[in-house]
Amino acid sequence: AGIYVSELGTALLVTGTISFFAVLVLIYANSLNKVDLERKRAEFILRRYQEQLEAILANTGAVIYIYDVDGTSMLVNKQFEKVFRKSSSEVLGKKIHEISDSRFAKNIQESHYRVIQGRMPVVVEEEIQEDDGLHAFISNKFPIFDENGIPYAIGAISTDITDMKRMHEELKE
């Protein structure tokens, strides 16, 4: 009779251990499922934000760009391509003096330097030679910081104010 009790005890111990680990696996699988759902939700939100930003970049009339602190182009929008008559593939990874005349490049670099040194946004008026003449832009430039609070890039949103300036001059006359 003692043999059966010993075998039964072993069987119950093995069954209990298996049941315990099965419950642990189910709990862990449920936790992983929750984490995976949260990750998918975060990816969806991130994808939505990216789509919204891409829509803004593609459809705004403003010139938008980002240059790193060394003056290398990181991002340009469609309006930038139109104004400078260069595709993004011709611009990205290039320095400002490689895509525009030296006087304009020097002015851009000076304003970028002010943004980085001041670690604050600046507003500047800039002129760009286009096919139909000289155009005036009001540019809002701002530092972009890394996770340690160190500026690694300069972003800019530039709006063509040529027509407004012409109307202002006409009104003055």
Side-chain angles (χ1 to χ4, degrees):
I3 295 175
Y4 293 115
V5 172
S6 173
E7 288 175 353
L8 179 63
T10 303
L12 287 174
L13 179 65
V14 169
T15 304
T17 303
I18 290 172
S19 298
F20 174 75
F21 283 113
V23 168
L24 282 179
V25 166
L26 288 173
I27 290 170
Y28 184 70
N30 188 37
S31 295
L32 283 178
N33 188 40
K34 286 180 182 177
V35 168
D36 190 48
L37 289 173
E38 289 175 22
R39 180 190 55 81
K40 286 180 180 177
R41 183 176 178 277
E43 286 176 353
F44 173 79
I45 291 168
L46 183 62
R47 199 169 34 256
R48 174 74 50 92
Y49 284 149
Q50 185 173 2
E51 290 167 354
Q52 292 168 349
L53 289 173
E54 287 174 2
I56 290 168
L57 288 172
N59 295 296
T60 184
V63 173
I64 299 175
Y65 64 84
I66 297 175
Y67 276 83
D68 69 16
V69 292
D70 295 323
T72 303
S73 174
M74 299 173 69
L75 175 139
V76 298
N77 71 339
K78 297 289 181 195
Q79 189 66 16
F80 182 102
E81 293 176 347
K82 181 180 171 186
V83 168
F84 286 96
R85 293 175 305 283
K86 294 187 185 303
S87 69
S88 61
S89 61
E90 294 175 282
V91 173
L92 296 178
K94 302 262 175 62
K95 305 274 187 191
I96 189 69
H97 67 271
E98 294 177 289
I99 63 165
S100 62
D101 68 68
S102 61
R103 186 180 70 78
F104 179 72
K106 184 176 182 281
N107 291 339
I108 295 294
Q109 289 170 329
E110 287 173 2
S111 64
H112 287 184
Y113 180 77
R114 285 184 19 224
V115 170
I116 293 300
Q117 288 304 310
R119 299 170 65 93
M120 299 280 297
V122 298
V123 177
V124 295
E125 188 173 323
E126 299 170 318
E127 293 182 330
I128 299 172
Q129 185 63 45
E130 293 191 38
D131 291 339
D132 62 346
L134 201 59
H135 280 246
F137 285 81
I138 191 81
S139 297
N140 297 291
K141 298 186 177 198
F142 49 91
I144 301 173
F145 300 96
D146 67 13
E147 63 277 357
N148 298 315
I150 298 169
Y152 72 91
I154 300 94
I157 302 172
S158 303
T159 305
D160 191 336
I161 58 169
T162 306
D163 291 339
M164 288 187 340
K165 284 185 81 163
R166 285 183 190 145
M167 289 186 333
H168 187 277
E169 290 300 317
E170 289 174 9
L171 287 172
K172 277 173 62 175
E173 289 177 12

